[in-house]
Amino acid sequence: MSASAPSAEDMEFELPTDPLPIPPYDPDLDVRSNGRPLFCGKSSLSELTHKDVGSYFDFSVEELKEKLPEGLPAGMIQEFEETRRWALLVRQSFIDLRDNFRRIVDPPARASSKSSPVRKQVVLDGLVSCGKSILLAMLVHWARSEGWLVFYVPNARKWTRGGFFYRNPNTNLWDTPVQAAQILKDFLKFNESHLQKLPIQIFDPIPLGEGAGIRMRKDADSMAMPEDSTLLDLVRIGIEEQHAALSFVKDIPVLLAIDQYNSWFTFSEYEEPVTARSCRPIHAKELSTVSAYRSMMHGDMMVGAFSHSTAVGKLRQELPDVPLDARILLPRYSLDEAESVCHYYLRQRLIRRDGFSEDKWKKIYHLSNGNGKEMRWLVPFI
Amino acid sequence: MSYLSGAKSVPDEQVRIASTKIEGIGPKKAIQVRYRLGISGNIKMNELAKYQIDQIEQIIAQDHLVHWELKRGKREDIERLISISRYRGIRHQDGSPLRGQRTHTNARTFRKQIRK
């Protein structure tokens, strides 16, 4: 579902400093109905406060490509393309989630009794098109701006289908070497500068194996890491050898961000032949790549976002290896948020000005039940 | 153009489609062969290594009747029915349908096969 960030050369996008080229431009449109500015005017996601909720934050193309090289969620790309501006609504849910992880890394001197409990592991759930993937992408953007090491998986479903699969006799799990190589390449794509700074010391030689598509090495069954190696060297070797990848990061905050997380709680595309005529479907938890990252029962910060685009179906409330209080149900747009969104679409000329009124945008809001995607589709009919 | 167990296959064709081109291998058997070797549905023929193609051919040759062996098996079954003068053998010789169909009308397909 995710795709690479569209380049600015493909479409004519409005920049924060320049209005849309089509005249006439009315500066009154930069203000919401309550008199507050439509754009928050902040330069980074770290500066946002609860007062900016309901306004729009402008991204820069270069930063998006730099902070999210794995690709943007489909909903985000669609929003940018239809409004022709690299801006997103600031929601209270993002501020809360960001502050939650901020308090983990930088706990306040005095813990307030009114503040909500801190959660290291979070599962973002909610209705269709309520903003889970976009929220996760914004969180990744913020975390990387803060200098964190972020392992972002925009399409977790890809780990459970395609390529080769092979049962590892040592672990009894199913290895998927093609996916493992791609995971390491993606990890290296953004985090190269961080990995260079992190020294590692692995005393035991790393065992090498064989798998579907990869033959057993004739010369060695293990490989030793030289002294003064860095994490970058290990990841590079992992890519070249396609057999090993480890992380021993302690110096900087680490965040695991997984989109389409619910696809790891159902069956994969792979099957194991049982008899001459029947096959047994392999569950995602039996895959070595998935089993390494699925569990949230650890001390690291992790966010998993569910997706309704993967046809997983309903999962039970208490998921295995997930803390009971980890689930957060994201709401759809509230009436105030829908007001900001409609005023933004009016400014970006998705809505004709002569037909715009409070009754009409409220009708659209109630008709779509706060679904952002449907609202964007319906507003041109105002 | 490459060959998989005697059947022509296009390089960018998926393995699950190319396997079914082999006479005697249908979609179900193609899935069984693939899953035994750990090959998923979207892998194409040009992504396979030489030794993987050899493994596919080896499994097909070991566990399945294909090509001339399949045809020989079918022919032997029909000749056995003819040699022991069974009703079905006589119907095979006459070129008439043998599964209880009507012959007063229709039955053109079976008669066409024998005439060939």
Side-chain angles (χ1 to χ4, degrees), chain A residues 173-225:
Chain A
L173 294 172
W174 294 83
D175 290 339
T176 50
V178 174
Q179 275 83 348
Q182 192 59 43
I183 290 162
L184 286 175
K185 279 180 191 162
D186 289 344
F187 186 55
L188 186 64
K189 204 190 288 184
F190 178 71
N191 297 298
E192 188 162 353
S193 57
H194 283 301
L195 298 176
Q196 261 174 346
K197 297 172 199 166
L198 297 169
I200 55 161
Q201 213 166 9
I202 301 175
F203 298 107
D204 299 325
I206 301 164
L208 304 176
E210 67 170 330
I214 305 158
R215 283 211 146 156
M216 193 77 186
R217 283 184 67 164
K218 290 177 189 171
D219 49 354
D221 59 356
S222 63
M223 184 182 65
M225 286 296 298

Side-chain angles (χ1 to χ4, degrees), chain A residues 14-130:
Chain A
E14 181 188 42
L15 297 173
T17 49
D18 301 321
L20 281 173
I22 304 165
Y25 165 66
D26 187 356
D28 291 339
L29 293 175
D30 285 344
V31 179
R32 289 180 274 169
S33 61
N34 54 7
R36 302 189 77 171
L38 193 56
F39 298 99
C40 60
K42 301 277 170 71
S43 58
S44 78
L45 290 168
S46 312
E47 296 171 19
L48 294 173
T49 63
H50 66 276
K51 292 178 186 170
D52 300 314
V53 170
S55 63
Y56 272 77
F57 175 81
D58 281 300
F59 292 90
S60 79
V61 182
E62 293 78 24
E63 260 200 24
L64 274 176
K65 284 184 185 174
E66 187 195 336
K67 303 285 186 246
L68 295 166
E70 296 93 343
L72 302 179
M76 201 187 245
I77 296 173
Q78 214 174 0
E79 171 79 7
F80 290 157
E81 285 178 355
E82 295 204 17
T83 56
R84 290 169 63 210
R85 186 169 177 141
W86 306 89
L88 287 175
L89 182 72
V90 178
R91 300 182 73 187
Q92 186 62 44
S93 44
F94 168 71
I95 302 288
D96 293 340
L97 198 64
R98 183 202 64 182
D99 291 345
N100 172 71
F101 287 107
R102 211 180 239 172
R103 278 189 284 148
I104 294 170
V105 172
D106 190 18
R110 241 186 260 174
S112 161
S113 58
K114 290 181 188 174
S115 59
S116 52
V118 162
R119 299 181 210 200
K120 270 193 166 180
Q121 293 86 25
V122 171
V123 173
L124 299 174
D125 197 2
L127 295 170
V128 176
S129 299
C130 69

